[in-house]
Amino acid sequence: LAVCEHELDWQIAQWVMAECNKRQVLPEYFGSDATGIGSGVYSHLKTDWGNCIRVEFGGMASEMQASADDPRPCFEVYDRQVTSLWYSCREMVKAGQLKGLNQEAIRGFCFRTYEIKNRKTKIQTKEEMKLKFGKSPDEADAVSVLVEVARQRGMGVSAAIKGDLEWDKRVEEINASLEDPEYGPEQQMEEYEEVY
């Protein structure tokens, strides 16, 4: 017997609430992806549990400040909200405020490419990433939801904490290797496995 989508959304929401209650997580400290089919789960959570934080990956970037070094609103810096969410994670990692990421999240963050288009930063679409690397960056997306919850609750990147030189050096090395036409996904995966 087929289960309707509404029923599946409700079941997922019930499971989420049970897991959060076990961990004593209050609704206002929980973020729910409300993009696409996630909107149904979010609706059940809000109705049955409380004011959890709605996180949208689609649409225009928010009016929040882009970074500690860039006072412009995110919508002037990033092409869409998902780019803003992912770059918020980058800022937190560089500042030493986000640590302990699992391997799948690191893999997702490291392999999604970006470009500057119309003076805005644009990350690769999820569909493009799936075609290139064979999987969706779900773990990295989950981390970006967590960071967005922290940002909406008032956490910002500490301007006092500067990115370290080792990080900057590694970024330069990776960027240089990406310009090599013979450096494809296989070589990137091999390098990832060596480092991690």
Side-chain angles (χ1 to χ4, degrees), residues 3 56 98 154 157 159:
V3 179
E56 294 268 3
L98 178 60
V157 176

Side-chain angles (χ1 to χ4, degrees), residues 79-138:
D79 71 316
R80 61 200 196 282
Q81 180 64 359
V82 64
T83 305
S84 175
L85 293 173
W86 274 50
Y87 268 79
S88 293
C89 296
R90 179 180 185 271
E91 290 292 311
M92 294 287 184
V93 169
K94 283 186 71 173
Q97 293 171 279
L98 178 60
K99 300 178 181 182
L101 300 179
N102 66 31
Q103 294 300 307
E104 283 304 307
I106 293 169
R107 186 186 302 256
F109 283 126
C110 288
F111 291 147
R112 196 168 192 174
T113 61
Y114 75 95
E115 64 179 325
I116 305 298
K117 189 171 183 179
N118 299 324
R119 298 186 178 182
K120 292 185 180 181
T121 302
K122 174 186 180 184
I123 62 169
Q124 184 179 46
T125 67
K126 191 177 279 192
E127 291 71 26
E128 290 167 339
M129 188 175 181
K130 283 182 190 175
L131 281 174
K132 191 170 181 182
F133 296 106
K135 66 179 302 183
S136 175
D138 295 331

Side-chain angles (χ1 to χ4, degrees), residues 10 35 45-46 65 124 136 170 187 194:
W10 181 84
T35 310
L45 289 171
K46 185 171 173 63
Q65 183 172 324
Q124 184 179 46
S136 175
R170 186 70 182 128
Q187 290 79 12
E194 286 175 16

